[in-house]
Amino acid sequence: LKSSLSPQKYYPPDFDPAKIPKLKLPKDRQYVVRLMAPFNMRCKTCGEYIYKGKKFNARKETVQNEVYLGLPIFRFYIKCTRCLAEITFKTDPENTDYTMEHGATRNFQAEKLLEEEEKRLQKEREEEELNNPMKVLENRTKDSKLEMEVLENLQELKELNQRQANVDFEAMLKQYKELEEEQRRKEQE
């Protein structure tokens, strides 16, 4: 039973698929893709800020002779929104990020530096604890002491909020009416 939806193709009896010429496409060919700016950057030509998430029509190419653990690295070409200067950046699979190539400078990323510092401190602490069981005990007592302090501070704040939350609306309304009456008297005088 032939389907009326799919188009029927006729293959002549002497058809040989091996005779069809293969497309010779260059390895460094570029595609046009729609992408968002992966980080905040500033154009070197005009000083325009390009914020993370700004959409661009970009040209994408595979970087030749550069791979990371078998993963290809891609290069993207975008144009500055103000002066149309070309800006390029590449994928960085090693750090699961992007690296700025040229045309702009990447803005300072405090969050990333903070995360890296925390990871480094955590690694140092783990290495210390592996060699010294006494250090493990010290760190645990420090952690529990800090946790207790945080809980105490939280409890104090809750109590303070409860004390301040007891507002007497009747007294406030009464005071407001008195002020209004006083203003009326002054106006009449």
Side-chain angles (χ1 to χ4, degrees):
L1 196 71
K2 290 183 180 177
S3 170
S4 61
L5 295 173
S6 65
Q8 300 299 312
K9 291 184 174 72
Y10 170 73
Y11 293 106
D14 62 337
F15 175 72
D16 185 11
K19 289 180 183 173
I20 298 171
K22 293 272 189 274
L23 265 175
K24 299 281 189 216
L25 293 168
K27 289 200 182 228
D28 61 344
R29 73 172 186 263
Q30 294 182 341
Y31 301 93
V32 175
V33 292
R34 183 89 170 153
L35 59 79
M36 289 175 158
F39 46 75
N40 296 334
M41 57 187 121
R42 187 174 185 192
C43 178
K44 283 183 180 173
T45 313
C46 66
E48 175 77 2
Y49 284 101
I50 298 167
Y51 294 101
K52 181 179 179 177
K54 177 97 176 101
K55 290 182 182 174
F56 290 95
N57 291 325
R59 293 191 334 273
K60 170 189 151 187
E61 70 178 16
T62 307
V63 179
Q64 298 301 306
N65 307 322
E66 263 190 71
V67 277
Y68 173 75
L69 301 176
L71 296 169
I73 292 171
F74 300 107
R75 179 179 288 121
F76 300 96
Y77 298 87
I78 62 172
K79 292 199 184 304
C80 172
T81 49
R82 190 154 109 205
C83 66
L84 299 176
E86 194 167 65
I87 297 167
T88 64
F89 52 89
K90 295 192 298 190
T91 55
D92 182 12
E94 188 176 356
N95 302 314
T96 61
D97 198 15
Y98 292 83
T99 53
M100 192 75 236
E101 269 196 315
H102 83 272
T105 52
R106 189 170 181 169
N107 287 9
F108 182 71
Q109 283 187 305
E111 286 177 30
K112 190 177 177 187
L113 289 172
L114 194 71
E115 282 175 18
E116 286 173 1
E117 185 66 21
E118 282 176 4
K119 282 181 189 174
R120 191 183 59 78
L121 289 171
Q122 186 67 29
K123 205 173 189 179
E124 279 179 14
R125 183 175 167 172
E126 285 171 5
E127 285 172 7
E128 267 184 353
E129 287 178 356
L130 278 173
N131 303 330
N132 192 349
M134 211 48 199
K135 199 72 178 169
V136 176
L137 193 62
E138 284 177 20
N139 286 341
R140 277 190 195 156
T141 53
K142 259 188 215 172
D143 289 345
S144 61
K145 195 181 264 187
L146 203 122
E147 196 175 331
M148 290 296 285
E149 284 177 18
V150 167
L151 284 170
E152 284 173 11
N153 289 343
L154 189 68
Q155 193 63 35
E156 282 178 28
L157 285 170
K158 281 183 180 177
E159 287 171 7
L160 204 118
N161 281 347
Q162 283 178 346
R163 273 187 251 141
Q164 289 177 348
N166 297 334
V167 177
D168 189 6
F169 291 106
E170 293 298 322
M172 284 172 61
L173 288 169
K174 191 175 181 182
Q175 191 177 5
Y176 181 71
K177 283 180 184 175
E178 286 173 6
L179 280 168
E180 270 190 338
E181 285 174 19
E182 200 173 303
Q183 276 184 335
R184 279 188 200 141
R185 270 189 240 123
K186 284 180 182 176
E187 285 174 7
Q188 285 175 358
E189 287 174 10

